[in-house]
Amino acid sequence: MDGHVETNPSCTEGCTSLSAPCIGSAKTSWSDRRELYELARLEGLVHKNFHLAVLCLVYTGANVVCLVFNSMEEEFREEHRMPFHMLEFWSTFIFAVLQIYIMAFVASGSLCMNPMLLRVVMVCNIVFTFVPAALLAVSVEKFEVLAHEIEYSNEITMAA
């Protein structure tokens, strides 16, 4: 096979194929159709997993930026307190949303035996990361301690 795509002559819908028959073909067996469906499903999962992995790397980058912020002198940290907290808390919220998508893909496996527990964890994770981020967006000075307390509580809950 030289790698080029040829039109399948048995297909009435103008499909292209390297070697597999067209799904609409009368010559296609059920097992061929099932294999083609499974290949298409797996290809979709590859793309989803790639996008989720890229977003996880963005979250890792945000944490590296927060680490750099924390390594700076006190004067710099005080001067950039608001952007630091916005990056820290909103990236944590976005990561919580990302975790929901990841758990939704894994939940069909044996990892989650109790779907109700999974739903409770998902809801708590979203709420307990959004609320502190929203509070800090209103006022870092007024809500900083409360926001950190909520976030720490959420981390303990997720670890259990």
Side-chain angles (χ1 to χ4, degrees), residues 38-51 105:
E38 184 66 15
L39 284 173
R41 189 184 72 77
L42 290 174
E43 183 179 6
L45 285 176
V46 166
H47 292 294
K48 289 175 187 173
N49 286 335
F50 174 75
H51 292 121
F105 287 131

Side-chain angles (χ1 to χ4, degrees), residues 117-133:
L117 178 64
L118 179 63
R119 287 185 191 111
V120 169
V121 167
M122 289 176 161
V123 168
C124 289
N125 199 12
I126 293 295
V127 171
F128 292 148
T129 56
F130 176 78
V131 169

Side-chain angles (χ1 to χ4, degrees), residues 59 62 82-97 129-138 151:
Y59 177 68
M82 180 70 149
F84 169 77
H85 281 89
M86 291 298 103
L87 178 63
E88 178 187 17
F89 281 84
W90 284 111
S91 64
T92 301
F93 168 69
I94 291 170
F95 187 68
V97 172
T129 56
F130 176 78
V131 169
L135 288 173
L136 286 176
V138 172
E151 184 184 35

Side-chain angles (χ1 to χ4, degrees), residues 17 19-23 27-44:
S17 172
S19 62
C22 176
I23 290 178
K27 297 180 182 179
T28 305
S29 69
W30 280 109
S31 64
D32 287 343
R33 290 181 188 187
R34 194 176 17 198
E35 288 174 12
L36 289 172
Y37 172 77
E38 184 66 15
L39 284 173
R41 189 184 72 77
L42 290 174
E43 183 179 6

